[in-house]
Amino acid sequence: MRKNANSVDKNSPEYWAKMIAGGRYSLLLIVVLTVVNIVLLLVEADRYFVFSASFPYYLTAFAMGMDEALSGGIGICTIIALVIGVLLMGVYMLCWALGKNKPGWLTAALVLFSLDTVVLLVISFTLIDSPLLNLMDIIFHALAIYELVMAVICAGKLKRQTAAET
């Protein structure tokens, strides 16, 4: 049987490294788009990018709603939500930066984003009129989780192979 010239050896360190890089790239994109979404929310632009974390966005939106009802503008609730969002994005950035050499950080990112997905699902099925409104967001969350799972699996394989060689 002849191998296709475009086939990829899924048991090669090169493939594993590509999968790790793909998971890390997705994580970085999530951070960037989450920050963009929150800025767009703050300036009341009617835009939203789906490949982002939901918890910081919805927390900020909820806090802005509370502040609007209480004081008519941005207040302490929004500021607290923004601080929480910045801290969370900082943790994601740590996971991205340190995940290149330490697979545990990719696992931490996977756990955090899985919790974010649970928040998205709860909001989608309880607070929003139709879960279909968040369908694309749910699909992109699933895609990001797949990317992170593959990165964690491949990082483990790469680590085991490196340990076996020494």
Side-chain angles (χ1 to χ4, degrees), residues 43 52 56 72-73 90 92 95 98 115 119 132 143 162 165:
V43 298
S52 65
Y92 276 121
C95 292
L98 299 176
L115 291 171
V119 168
L132 293 177
L143 175 64
T162 304
E165 289 175 355

Side-chain angles (χ1 to χ4, degrees), residues 8-26:
V8 175
D9 180 8
K10 293 186 178 182
N11 291 314
S12 71
E14 293 81 18
Y15 174 78
W16 299 334
K18 278 186 182 179
M19 296 304 285
I20 294 166
R24 289 182 65 242
Y25 174 76
S26 292

Side-chain angles (χ1 to χ4, degrees), residues 5 7 17 21 40-41 56 60 70 74 102 104 111 120 122 135-136 152:
S7 68
L40 291 173
L41 178 66
T60 304
L70 295 173
I74 290 179
K102 298 190 184 284
V111 169
L120 173 64
V122 167
L135 183 61
M136 289 304 294
V152 168

